């Protein structure tokens, strides 16, 4: 039978093991049936699938522009997507066809692109049109227009473009950026591109700032190119 572990005709005992679901799916045309375990039942927004996941799960996101919803983590700064679990959120077809959009302009109604929490990873997205507040904590509410990461958060194989921060890091603030393109972002005080991040195999280019340091401020860089910033 289906529970006959040794095929002797008797049901195997229930050991109380955790049933690991593994993957949760996101599609703009999904059926939105919790906990989103198939493409047919996929969540229509990324946040719902993250909320249904557990640590070490993967959230798979198919093509589209994801520009609805929002949640604050620190203060009043709203993030379009909050990855507040140790999960991998991955775009299946890459940044050319899968985008997360925030909302401007800067101020209390602004929406940052993505918050990437401890031991979480955002992989393969374009993140654009993210903005920060003009008030609140400099680092947590006025920095990282595109993405804001905890120290162990990772952004990998992403394109961060067209984002704005009032304080620092128009494209990204903190965490690790790996194999990312950070371009044409803007900040008012420091670093149109990246702030306080570890850069690995990244390109930071064509970013601008009103104040100091167009490209990367208080970052470490490994095998990365930082050029043509203003």
């Amino acid at each position: 039978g289906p529970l006959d572990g040794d095929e002797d005709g008797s049901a195997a005992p229930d050991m109380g093991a955790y049933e690991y679901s593994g993957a949760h799916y996101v599609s703009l045309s999904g059926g939105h049936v919790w906990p989103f375990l198939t493409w047919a039942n996929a969540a229509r927004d990324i946040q719902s699938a993250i909320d249904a996941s557990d640590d070490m799960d993967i959230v798979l996101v198919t093509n589209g522009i994801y520009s609805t919803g929002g949640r604050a983590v620190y203060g009043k700064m709203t993030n379009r997507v909050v990855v507040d679990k140790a999960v991998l959120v991955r775009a299946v077809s890459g940044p050319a066809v899968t985008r997360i959009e925030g909302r401007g302009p800067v101020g209390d109604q602004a929406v940052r692109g993505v918050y990437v929490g401890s031991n979480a990873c955002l992989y393969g997205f374009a993140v654009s049109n993210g903005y920060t507040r003009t008030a609140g904590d400099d680092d947590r509410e006025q920095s990282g227009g595109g993405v804001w990461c905890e120290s162990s958060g990772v952004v990998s194989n992403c394109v961060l473009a067209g984002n704005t921060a009032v304080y620092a890091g128009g494209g990204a603030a903190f965490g690790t950026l790996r194999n990312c393109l950070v371009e044409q972002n803007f900040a008012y005080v420091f670093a149109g591109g990246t702030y306080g991040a570890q850069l690995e195999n990244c390109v930071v280019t064509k970013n601008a700032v009103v104040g100091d340091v167009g490209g990367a401020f208080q970052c470490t860089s490994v095998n990365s190119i930082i050029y043509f910033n203003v």
Side-chain angles (χ1 to χ4, degrees):
L3 296 178
D4 184 5
D6 55 10
E7 299 184 351
D8 65 353
S10 61
D14 182 356
M15 301 301 291
Y18 173 71
E19 296 180 4
Y20 178 61
S21 56
H24 305 265
Y25 296 86
V26 181
S27 170
L28 292 173
S29 59
H32 203 78
V33 180
W34 190 94
F36 321 115
L37 300 181
T38 67
W39 283 117
N41 292 336
R44 296 192 193 107
D45 64 277
I46 298 171
Q47 192 65 60
S48 292
I50 294 170
D51 292 346
S53 69
D54 295 303
D55 286 351
M56 308 306 294
D57 282 359
I58 181 171
V59 174
L60 295 173
V61 183
T62 196
N63 306 9
I65 298 173
Y66 295 86
S67 57
T68 60
R71 182 177 299 174
V73 177
Y74 294 120
K76 298 179 180 179
M77 181 68 247
T78 301
N79 307 271
R80 182 68 73 203
V81 175
V82 172
V83 191
D84 54 356
K85 300 175 182 178
V87 299
L88 167 64
V89 180
R90 178 167 184 157
V92 296
S93 299
V97 291
T98 318
R99 185 162 78 246
I100 297 170
E101 286 192 349
R103 184 184 66 203
V106 295
D108 287 344
Q109 302 305 309
V111 179
R112 175 192 283 133
V114 185
Y115 164 86
V116 182
S118 298
N119 301 310
C121 180
L122 184 77
Y123 186 103
F125 289 86
V127 182
S128 64
N129 204 41
Y131 290 79
T132 72
R133 299 186 67 216
T134 55
D137 184 83
D138 287 348
D139 283 352
R140 293 179 172 180
E141 297 182 74
Q142 298 187 55
S143 296
V147 297
W148 194 101
C149 302
E150 298 291 354
S151 59
S152 59
V154 175
V155 177
S156 181
N157 294 73
C158 289
V159 175
L160 312 178
N163 303 286
T164 298
V166 169
Y167 183 65
F174 311 113
T176 297
L177 272 60
R178 186 172 295 139
N179 302 316
C180 290
L181 172 62
V182 185
E183 68 171 354
Q184 295 183 327
N185 301 285
F186 180 78
Y188 285 92
V189 182
F190 295 113
T194 59
Y195 168 50
Q198 166 82 15
L199 306 175
E200 301 175 3
N201 304 311
C202 292
V203 176
V204 181
T205 186
K206 300 178 184 177
N207 302 284
V209 68
V210 174
D212 251 341
V213 190
F217 178 60
Q218 293 185 349
C219 295
T220 57
S221 174
V222 178
N223 196 38
S224 296
I225 298 171
I226 304 171
Y227 69 155
F228 297 146
N229 299 287
V230 180

